Amino acid sequence: MGSNTTEKALSMLRFLPRVCLSNIRPHPNSRIRDKRGRGQHGGDKHGCGNKGSGQRQNYMRLGYETGNNPFYLRFPHEPYYQRHHLRREYPPVSLLQLLKFIELNRIDHTKPIDLVSVVNTGLYKLLPDQRQYGIQLTDEGADVFNLKINIEVQYATEVVIAAIEKAGGVITTAYYDQHSLQCMLNTKKFFERGVPIPKRMMPPPDAIEYYSDPAKRGYLADPDKISEERLVLAQKYGYSLPEIEKDPSYDMLTERKDPRQIFYGLHPGWVVNLRDKAILKPQDEELLKYYAN
Amino acid sequence: MMSETVPKLRTCLLAIRKFSTAPPKVPVESRQLAFPPKYQKPRQVWLENFDTIEEKKLGIIDLHPEIFAANPRIDIIQENVRWQSLYRYVSYAHTKSRFEVRGGGRKPWPQKGLGRARHGSIRSPLFRGGGVIHGPKSPTPHFYMLPYYSRVHGLTSTLSVKLAQDDLHIIMNLEIPTDEPNFIEELVRSRNWGPSVLFVDDVDIMPRNITAATDKIKHFNLMPVYGLNVYSMLKHDTLVLTRAAVDLLELKLLTSLHKNDVKPCAEKFKLNQV
């Protein structure tokens, strides 16, 4: 049954006069009285006081301390937070949240999961303008994670990788540059622009090492070395590595994007026409060479 | 003693059966809720007929409690009514400031020597006949957008109020046999449907007869589901929905209540943002 208040209110209404335009009232004290600039309370000095910079609207600058050395100028350059505004951020998604999304049908785990699927749930927001570069998968829920998924994130720790591989899934870490991220966040809006899908750029120098490391399941690493690392991790954490080769959804689990590819099933250079439901592919050799690079 | 009462009970029951209304001869399918509520019971209303003046109950319809048994928030209803009146309102009041009042370009008398107060213009606010400071300027719009959920909850609250106060009726469709206004007037009067009635259908093209009948009558109005609003529902005493309208209304309102991309809806109305 509905809450007690609702039930009570609805049963009270049966005996009260008909609710109409003339007997509705705002919430008590919700309407603030307009401060008119006339009369005793709003008029005369109009809230500006007497004399001084307040009334003369001639204020001192923010931080000024009437002549002495102000706080914001007292200290010399302190390089503790140097380049902090340029550091990359990875807003987290926990394994538990991911499990909830899949179990509540917000994400389809029978298809490869990437940033686009998580953003499309509407419950995860990424802001590339604020130096946010993708998903960081955290280990909360690692002990209960039991689904076979093929997931692509931007950062994951060893525990998370172990949890996903123990369940029989596949995890990859991949880099997306800001331009690609803007395309991925609102795919409908991007396709409506009618511009060719751009090619994904390589990671910056300080990130290339991470994404080429098989231990981190980087997308630029050697697949053979990744298989070795899977075994190493299974031995470290003490679980038997499930054999994906014998899995019926092997094709789905091993589906991976090309380092230059942004969307599954779409290649850079293609133009998606939503209205006519058609894809236009470049024919020119120069273009093909550029996008295939 | 028991031997006397039991035959009396039997005759009583027989009498009741003889005088009660017969069960509907044409069984109307009970309505299956598209998104059944998990923890609440659906509310039930009679499905009434519209083709005769006399009221005939055709069956019982289930209504979703999230829409028709929502918390009846009178303050949200008031906010909606205020918003509906005010968002289109443009104030054309205008007062002239000192620069708009005719004259006042010349310094009225010299600065010094006269013993009078110093002035630069005879149309300054200090002067009689001078300009008004901070007065109304035409045209001033009073547009604002009520938050998304306030508007959705306004609709659900009003529908719940209508149902709770027995002012909601569900009919099969808006087909009537004649296009005489008398038919509708008699029908409404005999069924105690309140002086003013709002008929809501799912599409905006209504059957010919009802359109002709209600054309001249100002207190019977026809409305499609997309035009349903709090002000109209309160202004009309009774709300009559067709079955198709109920389906569409439930679908739309439940989607609005449970969608997870509300932000884009509000973005286009953002004003005065830096």
Side-chain angles (χ1 to χ4, degrees):
Chain A
M1 287 300 269
S3 79
N4 270 331
T5 350
T6 314
E7 295 293 313
K8 229 178 192 174
L10 289 171
S11 56
M12 271 171 73
L13 276 173
R14 293 189 68 71
F15 303 102
L16 291 171
R18 182 182 271 143
V19 175
C20 64
L21 294 170
S22 52
N23 58 19
I24 49 177
R25 214 168 297 142
H27 204 65
N29 297 326
S30 64
R31 300 294 319 277
I32 306 164
R33 280 185 205 178
D34 278 336
K35 200 172 177 190
R36 296 175 63 245
R38 304 276 186 273
Q40 181 188 1
H41 299 288
D44 197 358
K45 289 175 272 299
H46 296 259
C48 285
N50 269 318
K51 299 182 175 182
S53 61
Q55 193 172 31
R56 291 166 183 154
Q57 310 285 301
N58 173 27
Y59 302 100
M60 291 178 260
R61 67 169 183 275
L62 188 66
Y64 183 66
E65 290 177 22
T66 62
N68 60 304
N69 200 12
F71 177 81
Y72 74 96
L73 288 178
R74 274 178 181 267
F75 309 99
H77 176 57
E78 301 283 337
Y80 310 127
Y81 301 114
Q82 206 171 48
R83 291 179 293 275
H84 79 286
H85 61 293
L86 300 170
R87 291 190 66 75
R88 293 187 294 274
E89 293 176 12
Y90 298 93
V93 173
S94 68
L95 278 171
L96 193 62
Q97 270 180 306
L98 185 66
L99 194 61
K100 265 195 225 172
F101 286 163
I102 295 170
E103 287 181 349
L104 295 172
N105 295 325
R106 291 188 194 269
I107 293 181
D108 187 5
H109 72 287
T110 57
K111 292 191 185 142
I113 303 172
D114 68 340
L115 178 62
V116 178
S117 339
V118 179
V119 165
N120 281 346
T121 61
L123 301 173
Y124 177 78
K125 295 266 148 58
L126 196 70
L127 305 161
D129 307 333
Q130 296 189 24
R131 273 87 51 213
Q132 292 177 2
Y133 276 76
I135 297 173
Q136 178 196 152
L137 211 46
T138 55
D139 54 5
E140 181 184 8
D143 44 350
V144 293
F145 200 85
N146 58 357
L147 286 174
K148 251 187 306 214
I149 53 168
N150 175 3
I151 186 160
E152 192 194 59
V153 289
Q154 279 62 59
Y155 182 86
T157 49
E158 210 181 49
V159 177
V160 166
I161 297 171
I164 294 196
E165 289 180 350
K166 179 179 177 185
V170 169
I171 176 164
T172 321
T173 47
Y175 173 83
Y176 291 92
D177 58 292
Q178 301 254 286
H179 190 50
S180 318
L181 282 176
Q182 291 287 8
C183 303
M184 291 164 88
L185 290 182
N186 196 341
T187 46
K188 183 159 179 274
K189 202 168 158 184
F190 169 68
F191 291 139
E192 278 170 2
R193 280 167 55 194
V195 294
I197 297 170
K199 58 179 188 182
R200 211 204 305 182
M201 291 298 150
M202 282 290 124
D206 53 355
I208 275 195
E209 203 189 306
Y210 182 89
Y211 291 110
S212 321
D213 190 359
K216 313 279 193 302
R217 309 290 183 274
Y219 72 124
L220 299 171
D222 191 0
D224 296 327
K225 296 215 176 88
I226 290 183
S227 323
E228 273 178 40
E229 287 294 335
R230 280 167 60 88
L231 201 60
V232 164
L233 207 63
Q235 286 174 346
K236 178 172 179 184
Y237 282 88
Y239 58 88
S240 60
L241 193 63
E243 292 179 25
I244 324 180
E245 291 88 1
K246 299 196 181 136
D247 200 300
S249 46
Y250 173 67
D251 290 324
M252 185 278 284
L253 288 172
T254 48
E255 192 175 338
R256 267 175 126 210
K257 286 186 203 170
D258 187 70
R260 292 290 192 191
Q261 197 182 0
I262 300 179
F263 302 107
Y264 281 115
L266 295 172
H267 296 176
W270 291 3
V271 179
V272 172
N273 186 342
L274 283 177
R275 197 183 282 193
D276 302 332
K277 301 208 172 107
I279 298 179
L280 304 154
K281 302 178 189 175
Q283 303 291 327
D284 193 34
E285 251 188 58
E286 215 177 296
L287 280 174
L288 288 170
K289 214 161 103 184
Y290 170 76
Y291 284 117
N293 174 27
Chain B
M1 192 143 113
M2 278 297 284
S3 56
E4 283 174 11
T5 50
V6 169
K8 269 191 192 159
L9 279 169
R10 209 175 287 143
T11 46
C12 268
L13 286 168
L14 278 172
I16 289 166
R17 213 172 285 147
K18 196 171 142 194
F19 291 117
S20 68
T21 51
K25 296 236 172 84
V26 179
V28 175
E29 296 154 26
S30 63
R31 184 165 171 261
Q32 294 297 324
L33 289 177
F35 304 98
K38 268 192 198 168
Y39 308 111
Q40 295 180 65
K41 285 188 196 151
R43 298 304 131 112
Q44 296 186 318
V45 278
W46 286 111
L47 179 68
E48 293 155 32
N49 76 325
F50 203 48
D51 36 11
T52 60
I53 290 176
E54 188 207 331
E55 186 180 25
K56 280 188 211 141
K57 295 176 162 47
L58 302 175
I60 292 182
I61 295 262
D62 280 350
L63 294 177
H64 203 290
E66 257 182 76
I67 297 163
F68 291 94
N71 197 4
R73 290 281 301 271
I74 307 297
D75 58 323
I76 294 185
I77 293 175
Q78 192 269 345
E79 272 177 17
N80 272 271
V81 167
R82 180 173 188 267
W83 171 71
Q84 277 188 260
S85 323
L86 211 51
Y87 82 92
R88 308 170 245 222
Y89 172 62
V90 177
S91 165
Y92 295 105
H94 185 76
T95 51
K96 289 184 163 55
S97 66
R98 63 183 288 171
F99 309 104
E100 290 166 324
V101 179
R102 185 129 179 128
R106 180 177 58 214
K107 194 169 172 63
W109 45 79
Q111 181 84 351
K112 301 183 79 62
L114 288 181
R116 299 195 67 177
R118 51 192 177 179
H119 287 294
S121 143
I122 52 162
R123 300 302 187 208
S124 91
L126 270 54
F127 270 80
R128 172 196 171 277
V132 177
I133 333 165
H134 298 313
K137 289 287 180 197
S138 155
T140 314
H142 287 74
F143 174 80
Y144 70 103
M145 214 54 199
L146 204 60
Y148 185 84
Y149 288 117
S150 293
R151 286 179 277 136
V152 174
H153 287 311
L155 285 168
T156 57
S157 290
T158 324
L159 286 164
S160 310
V161 160
K162 284 290 173 198
L163 180 61
Q165 299 196 310
D166 290 335
D167 287 328
L168 184 74
H169 299 276
I170 316 277
I171 53 175
M172 277 303 285
N173 49 39
L174 287 173
E175 308 278 354
I176 50 171
T178 61
D179 60 357
E180 289 293 314
N182 289 334
F183 178 82
I184 296 271
E185 280 177 8
E186 234 351 274
L187 192 150
V188 167
R189 199 178 310 135
S190 71
R191 296 191 194 188
N192 268 338
W193 272 11
S196 54
V197 183
L198 183 65
F199 297 97
V200 180
D201 201 1
D202 60 332
V203 286
D204 43 12
I205 300 173
M206 312 279 177
R208 189 201 163 272
N209 279 347
I210 186 129
T211 328
T214 55
D215 194 33
K216 289 279 160 40
I217 310 172
K218 291 195 178 175
H219 46 277
F220 296 151
N221 288 308
L222 306 173
M223 194 180 262
V225 159
Y226 66 75
L228 199 61
N229 59 88
V230 174
Y231 185 93
S232 294
M233 283 200 273
L234 291 181
K235 189 153 171 64
H236 295 83
D237 297 300
T238 311
L239 182 65
V240 175
L241 302 168
T242 58
R243 211 176 141 161
V246 171
D247 288 331
L248 186 61
L249 188 61
E250 274 195 8
L251 176 69
K252 284 189 145 185
L253 280 174
L254 285 172
T255 318
S256 304
L257 281 168
H258 294 284
K259 64 193 217 173
N260 63 1
D261 57 348
V262 172
K263 203 162 166 239
C265 298
E267 265 166 7
K268 48 183 170 172
F269 299 113
K270 281 196 174 155
L271 309 168
N272 304 330
Q273 305 263 321
V274 171

